[in-house]
Amino acid sequence: MAEGATYDPVVSKHLVRYGMGLSPHVIVKARGATLWDQHGREILDFTSGQMCATIGHNHPRIVAAIEKACEGALHLYSGFVGPAVPALAGRLAAMLPPSLSKSLFLSTGGEANEAAARMARVTTGRYEIVGLNGGWHGVNGGIAGRHHVDYGPRKPGTMSIPAPHCYRCPIRHCRDACDTTCLDVGFDMVDAQSSGSLAAFIAEPVLSSAGVIVPPPGYFPKLQAKCRERGMLLILDEAQTAFGRLGSNFAFEQIGVVPDFLTVSKTLGGGLAIGATVTSEAIEQDCHEKGFVHVTSHVSDPLPAEVGLAVLDVLEEEGLNQRAAAMGERLSRGLATLKARHEVIGDVRGHGLLQGVELVKDRETRAPDAERGRAITDACMARGLSMNIVAVGGMAAVWRIAPPLNVKPEEIDRGLEILDDAIRSTG
Ligand SMILES: Cc1ncc(COP(=O)(O)O)c(C=O)c1O
């Protein structure tokens, strides 16, 4: 991730550089899909902040929820809750199938995944957790996924299998349509390496940070069947996909599985820190009986729960699922037009308002063009469009385009025009 990242020397003078670069634009104000820097320059935000501001920056309902929490309580002893915490748990339960009715509220997505993994280990009495290569589940140590090079050994029992990426098939088998052989091969490898202690599998419904990789239809039911055969639980990490991003309340509604654990975070807080681990009554009861402990300083804090309730209100009141589907369609149509115009765009893929654009030197070899990708990203910023390049490196260069769900059609069009112009300017 750190490769090619640039740090503004003034901004980062006393800051630890954490891997993704720091822009000279100091953001002094954010509203909806627009940011303003210290010089009053307007920037269109096509990343929803760090993929969290799905209902738009500083939505008045979020501001009101913060004020309400300030009137009430911001933080409590972990054995107390304010009214928003059970209310949010009830609200989530009402949105979810009966088997997902118990919530634990934490501060981040990584924490929510860690809690799910810990509960899976407690309830199964096993310790191995398997993930998808390139999947990102936070920086906590006990969950599988992307390699954390240079940080010493991973937690024993974490493994990963190839991700179903048909544009760059990890097992060199498919091209452009995944037939899920990678899943069979992956589980063969898991079986060969397991010590017989498989507890859970963790996956994102769309692998976002890995380059917006969309598993093919039928992938998740097959994955879940493989889990069941082995007595493993399924953890679905919906940090980015829950609450509208893909045009539905939850991505799992579209992929044909109900997980044993659902984790949500970024999009529940709308820009404030919250994470939640949701599971069944039976798993919760079993973990409780087996002595499950997971206390953090901010478990069940009232402030983020109040904000979470406001986010769910806005999701419903503004019909954001429908808007995300409609704006996603507009965005992907526009990106397809740009692909027809510019050789550097090798692939456009995604779902709803989560779109990925793969940058290549040559469409036949599909050699990634990270350098041009960075140049275009910079040219976009110079024209007032903030774009995020993910999966940079030897393997791929992909823009992840994900504006707030209530982005206006004219903002989508303006972003596409800027992108078109920026690509031309670097050609
Ligand atoms: C799918 C997914 N899960 C988990 C996380 C980790 O969330 P956090 O950074 O809040 O710990 C992220 C963050 O990018 C994510 O994209």
Side-chain angles (χ1 to χ4, degrees), residues 50 107-111 113 136-140 204 208-209 237-240 265-266 400:
Q50 192 61 29
S107 306
T108 65
E111 279 187 4
N113 288 326
W136 181 267
H137 303 291
V139 291
N140 299 55
E204 298 163 75
S208 179
S209 307
D237 177 353
E238 292 224 31
Q240 299 196 14
S265 50
K266 293 173 182 279
R400 175 176 64 196

Side-chain angles (χ1 to χ4, degrees), residues 158-315:
T158 55
M159 290 178 245
S160 57
I161 68 168
H165 189 9
C166 61
Y167 189 74
R168 298 187 183 282
C169 178
I171 58 165
R172 316 296 187 264
H173 173 70
C174 301
R175 192 168 164 103
D176 299 329
C178 174
D179 70 2
T180 70
T181 299
C182 53
L183 185 55
D184 296 322
V185 171
F187 266 88
D188 287 348
M189 291 172 65
V190 167
D191 291 337
Q193 293 170 78
S194 168
S195 61
S197 191
L198 291 165
F201 197 103
I202 184 166
E204 298 163 75
V206 172
L207 286 87
S208 179
S209 307
V212 191
I213 298 168
V214 185
Y219 183 85
F220 281 99
K222 183 170 167 181
L223 169 58
Q224 189 166 47
K226 286 184 181 293
C227 289
R228 296 249 157 95
E229 282 164 18
R230 293 161 177 79
M232 299 168 79
L233 301 173
L234 177 62
I235 304 168
L236 212 53
D237 177 353
E238 292 224 31
Q240 299 196 14
T241 54
F243 314 121
R245 175 65 64 203
L246 303 191
S248 55
N249 285 342
F250 302 97
F252 75 78
E253 295 165 6
Q254 301 186 42
I255 60 175
V257 292
V258 175
D260 302 292
F261 292 93
L262 171 72
T263 60
V264 294
S265 50
K266 293 173 182 279
T267 56
L268 180 59
L272 271 82
I274 186 168
T277 309
V278 190
T279 190
S280 68
E281 252 183 72
I283 290 176
E284 191 275 342
Q285 180 68 27
D286 187 51
C287 287
H288 175 66
E289 283 169 10
K290 289 175 175 163
F292 176 67
V293 175
H294 199 93
V295 181
T296 71
S297 301
H298 297 288
V299 65
S300 294
D301 256 0
L303 167 66
E306 201 68 73
V307 172
L309 283 168
V311 168
L312 298 184
D313 284 343
V314 172
L315 176 71

Side-chain angles (χ1 to χ4, degrees), residues 142-162:
I143 38 185
R146 186 171 296 177
H147 282 279
H148 292 249
V149 179
D150 296 339
Y151 304 105
R154 301 170 100 194
K155 188 160 173 158
T158 55
M159 290 178 245
S160 57
I161 68 168

